[in-house]
Amino acid sequence: MPQKLPAAEIGILIYPDAQLGAVHGLTDLFTIANRMARDRLGADAPWIRVTHWRDAGSAIERVFETEPGESEPDFVILPPAVTAPITQAEAKPFTDWLRERRERGSTLCSVCAGAFLLAETGAMAGRSVTTHWFFADDFARRFPDVRLETDKLVIDDGDLITAGGIMAWTDLGLKLVDRLLGSTVMLATAHFLLVDPPGREQRYYSAFSPRLAHGDEAILKVQHWLQATGAHGATLAAMAAQARLEERTFLRRFRAATGMKPTEYCQHLRIGRARELLETTHGTVERIAFEVGYEDASAFRKLFQRVVGLTPREFRQRFNAGAEAA
C-alpha cells in the first residue's frame, strides 16, 4: 500500500450481536476496491483504510486496522445484527462515542438493524432513513420522529447513509467506494464480486407483511377475510359489513389499526399474490391480473410497477427465469 494518506478511513463498529460476516465482508470489499484502484491508476491511486472498533469496557477502542495510523474515521458503519435489533440499554456504551464522531465530522452509516443503534444517538430525528422491512413496525414504534422509507435499499442523506436489507452491506460498501475511489473502481469491484452495483430497491424483495397485532378484533376479522378471499369483492360496504361497523367508523379504525386505507391494503394484498404467481407459474400477465382481481391488465401493470418498482415482466425475468423462457 502506498505511504501517502488514505482517501478516507472507514471504521466498522462491532456492537453486541453485530453480524461479523458483514464486518469482514465489508473489510474484504474495501480491500478489493483498493486493489482495483491500484491496478488501474498505479501507485498514486487513492485508497481506503479500514478499522474495527469495539467496547473495551471503559472506552470504544480500535481493535483492528488494515494499515497503521492514528486518524479519526471519516465514516462509521453500524453493521446488521445477527438476530434482533440492539436494545436501548445495550446501545448506551456506544451512543456518546457515535455522537462525538459525528460532531468531529464523521459520516454515520447503518445496515439493516444497525439503524436502531444509529437512531439511539438522536442523529436520525426528522431525517429520511431505511432499515430492513421486517423491522419497520418495531423501528417506527421506537423512533416515531424518524421518517422511515423501507421501499429504498440505500438512502444517502449526506452525513447519514442507511441501507435496508441484511445483505445490503454490499450496496453500502459499493456506494462508499463510488464516493471515495470513483465509479470506475466501484464498477470493477462489483464485477469482481459478481454483485449488482447500487441502484436496486428493497421493495423488489419485501413481502406484504400487514399489521395484525393491533388489538382491534373487528378489523382483524376483516383482514382474515381479505386474506382468505384474496380481496375479491372487497368493496367498502362489504368490508364494513364484515366488521359490523358503519362505513365511516370502519375507515377510521382500519387506518388506525393497519396504517393503510382499505383500498391500499387490498392493492398490496393482490400485488403480493401476483408476485407469487409470477415467481411460480407460467401464466400470462393478463391471466395473472385477472386471477388477482384486475380485469384491466394495463391498469394492473401500472399498479404493479408503482408498488414493486418493476414491471411484471421485469419481475418475472429477475425472479423466475424458467417461467419467462416458457
Side-chain angles (χ1 to χ4, degrees):
M1 185 63 65
Q3 293 301 307
K4 71 175 191 174
L5 292 176
E9 177 181 323
I10 297 178
I12 305 173
L13 183 60
I14 304 173
Y15 58 88
D17 210 29
Q19 187 190 83
L20 296 181
V23 173
H24 297 300
L26 280 163
T27 305
D28 290 344
L29 185 151
F30 295 131
T31 300
I32 291 167
N34 286 339
R35 188 174 73 186
M36 294 296 170
R38 195 166 60 250
D39 288 348
R40 282 157 177 74
L41 303 174
D44 291 332
W47 58 284
I48 295 169
R49 178 172 183 254
V50 183
T51 53
H52 298 173
W53 301 76
R54 189 190 290 271
D55 181 14
S58 59
I60 307 299
E61 295 183 355
R62 184 188 290 114
V63 295
F64 169 84
E65 54 192 12
T66 53
E67 293 290 328
E70 295 298 330
S71 60
E72 284 277 333
D74 302 281
F75 298 82
V76 177
I77 297 176
L78 309 181
V82 174
T83 53
I86 196 168
T87 65
Q88 186 177 31
E90 291 172 330
K92 283 184 179 179
F94 304 98
T95 51
D96 286 345
W97 184 82
L98 287 167
R99 290 189 191 105
E100 185 179 356
R101 300 285 77 69
R102 188 164 185 253
E103 289 171 0
R104 295 186 180 186
S106 296
T107 295
L108 303 185
C109 313
S110 68
V111 182
C112 190
F116 285 75
L117 176 52
L118 183 48
E120 288 289 349
T121 68
M124 286 182 167
R127 306 288 291 275
S128 294
V129 306
T130 189
T131 187
H132 196 295
W133 60 267
F134 183 82
F135 298 125
D137 286 347
D138 287 344
F139 188 93
R141 280 192 292 269
R142 278 180 62 175
F143 310 106
D145 58 347
V146 179
R147 295 196 301 269
L148 190 60
E149 299 183 32
T150 53
D151 280 353
K152 297 180 179 179
L153 197 63
V154 177
I155 296 179
D156 185 346
D157 200 21
D159 60 343
L160 292 178
I161 306 176
T162 54
I166 195 168
M167 293 301 293
W169 58 264
T170 59
D171 299 83
L172 174 63
L174 290 171
K175 179 167 282 293
L176 293 180
V177 170
D178 191 19
R179 180 184 288 196
L180 298 170
L181 305 183
S183 58
T184 300
V185 174
M186 180 275 288
L187 289 171
T189 304
H191 292 160
F192 182 85
L193 293 171
L194 298 179
V195 298
D196 290 339
R200 297 177 293 146
E201 294 192 51
Q202 190 169 191
R203 57 183 168 163
Y204 301 166
Y205 307 93
S206 60
F208 177 45
S209 182
R211 296 182 192 171
L212 299 173
H214 46 66
D216 191 327
E217 293 182 4
I219 300 304
L220 183 60
K221 180 182 177 182
V222 175
Q223 289 176 276
H224 287 320
W225 176 71
L226 291 172
Q227 193 69 45
T229 61
H232 287 277
T235 63
L236 175 58
M239 289 186 281
Q242 285 288 326
R244 297 186 179 180
L245 297 171
E246 293 182 357
E247 290 185 9
R248 181 176 297 180
T249 302
F250 168 74
L251 284 170
R252 175 177 55 80
R253 285 175 56 175
F254 190 94
R255 185 158 193 174
T258 67
M260 293 181 171
K261 297 177 182 178
T263 51
E264 184 184 8
Y265 187 98
C266 292
Q267 287 174 346
H268 279 268
L269 194 153
R270 290 169 179 153
I271 293 301
R273 174 59 178 157
R275 287 163 56 113
E276 180 183 345
L277 292 172
L278 286 165
E279 289 176 358
T280 60
T281 75
H282 298 172
T284 64
V285 172
E286 289 75 11
R287 180 177 180 82
I288 289 172
F290 183 78
E291 285 190 34
V292 300
Y294 293 97
E295 295 185 3
D296 185 343
S298 177
F300 165 75
R301 286 187 175 91
K302 291 177 181 177
L303 177 63
F304 189 96
Q305 184 167 15
R306 178 165 61 81
V307 172
V308 179
L310 300 169
T311 67
R313 180 180 177 82
E314 290 168 340
F315 184 86
R316 172 170 273 169
Q317 287 175 328
R318 182 174 292 223
F319 296 104
N320 188 348
E324 176 64 21

